[in-house]
Amino acid sequence: WARPAQAAPELQGVWRIAKPTVSLQPVRGEIPFTAKGKALYAANRAARAKGDFAYDLTQTRCSSPGPSRMMLTPDRFRILRLPTLITLQFEWNRLYRHVDMRRGKVEEPLVGPMMGFSTGRWSGDALVITTQYISERTLLDALIPHSDALKLTERLRLVDADTLEDRLTIEDPETFTRPWEASITYRREAEGAFREDVCLDRLEAGQRP
């Protein structure tokens, strides 16, 4: 794998979300739910209003939140680049996302993992990450459901040397009537060791997972 000569973005380094949020906001319009998706979303909202988080394995069991929700963490993350692999290392619970840059076809697994399977390629100055086979037990954010038919495409590009944009395209015909987009912005931070972080310790202490 070789990065195109005309594209020289330095994505490596430590990043933090610019405006902390727990929700993905569509770039245009409203979330285009199918009837099934709208019902699941309404059920999650109603449960949260009652303090029932059984629908959210991250809140109740410290389970991996899935790729799009992981990108909303208020904690730092680091991007590391190897010849055939790009890794996103998160401070939250020391989780990782691995992006295979060999462009090999991913075979559908019997059971989709929480983070799914991610492959990447360079398109101009953008790192394009395609993630599929994401477990439907995860959420897109703190409330939005999805099915195992979800396909998540991200375009990570530098707006300037210290600003990173992640433009997400979300496709899931079972949950949404059409593809829709959201955007997340991050600010570069100084390099430094990540603290030890154990989600279960916080959960047992009655704190935010």
Side-chain angles (χ1 to χ4, degrees):
W1 163 67
R3 188 171 61 190
Q6 72 272 19
E10 187 47 84
L11 304 186
Q12 290 195 111
V14 176
W15 302 91
R16 190 191 295 267
I17 194 168
K19 295 182 179 180
T21 179
V22 297
S23 301
L24 284 177
Q25 299 296 326
V27 172
R28 290 177 295 275
E30 298 181 347
I31 299 173
F33 285 116
T34 61
K36 176 183 176 181
K38 188 173 183 179
L40 289 171
Y41 179 68
N44 290 349
R45 290 190 63 181
R48 184 178 69 172
K50 294 187 295 184
D52 177 6
F53 291 94
Y55 68 91
D56 187 347
L57 298 183
T58 301
Q59 287 280 351
T60 57
R61 303 182 191 178
C62 284
S63 179
S64 170
S68 61
R69 190 177 181 187
M70 192 76 253
M71 297 304 291
L72 293 173
T73 176
D75 300 323
R76 298 173 294 174
F77 69 94
R78 178 182 287 111
I79 298 178
L80 302 169
R81 182 171 59 85
L82 296 173
T84 61
L85 185 73
I86 289 179
T87 295
L88 284 73
Q89 174 195 30
F90 294 87
E91 193 166 27
W92 188 88
N93 215 23
R94 290 297 183 92
L95 290 186
Y96 290 84
R97 284 186 69 189
H98 295 303
V99 181
D100 186 347
M101 300 297 291
R102 294 172 296 184
R103 305 185 188 180
K105 179 177 173 56
V106 177
E107 295 185 5
E108 183 174 359
L110 293 176
V111 178
M114 304 302 257
M115 282 292 190
F117 292 96
S118 296
T119 57
R121 61 183 176 84
W122 290 99
S123 176
D125 63 352
L127 171 63
V128 181
I129 302 173
T130 301
T131 307
Q132 294 178 281
Y133 309 125
I134 306 164
S135 171
E136 62 182 359
R137 295 175 296 165
T138 65
L139 298 166
L140 289 174
D141 62 9
L143 285 170
I144 301 173
H146 67 84
S147 76
D148 57 10
L150 173 67
K151 177 182 177 182
L152 178 68
T153 304
E154 298 168 83
R155 294 180 63 88
L156 275 72
R157 57 178 289 273
L158 292 175
V159 177
D160 57 47
D162 296 318
T163 306
L164 177 68
E165 178 191 58
D166 186 5
R167 187 87 168 199
L168 303 90
T169 301
I170 297 157
E171 302 174 72
D172 179 356
E174 294 187 27
T175 312
F176 311 107
T177 59
R178 57 173 173 77
W180 59 283
E181 292 186 333
S183 180
I184 312 170
T185 301
Y186 308 92
R187 303 296 185 198
R188 191 185 294 275
E189 297 216 340
E191 271 289 350
F194 286 179
R195 72 186 192 283
E196 180 180 75
D197 187 70
V198 182
C199 178
L200 284 173
D201 287 350
R202 291 197 301 278
L203 194 63
E204 290 176 1
Q207 300 173 357
R208 179 185 67 84

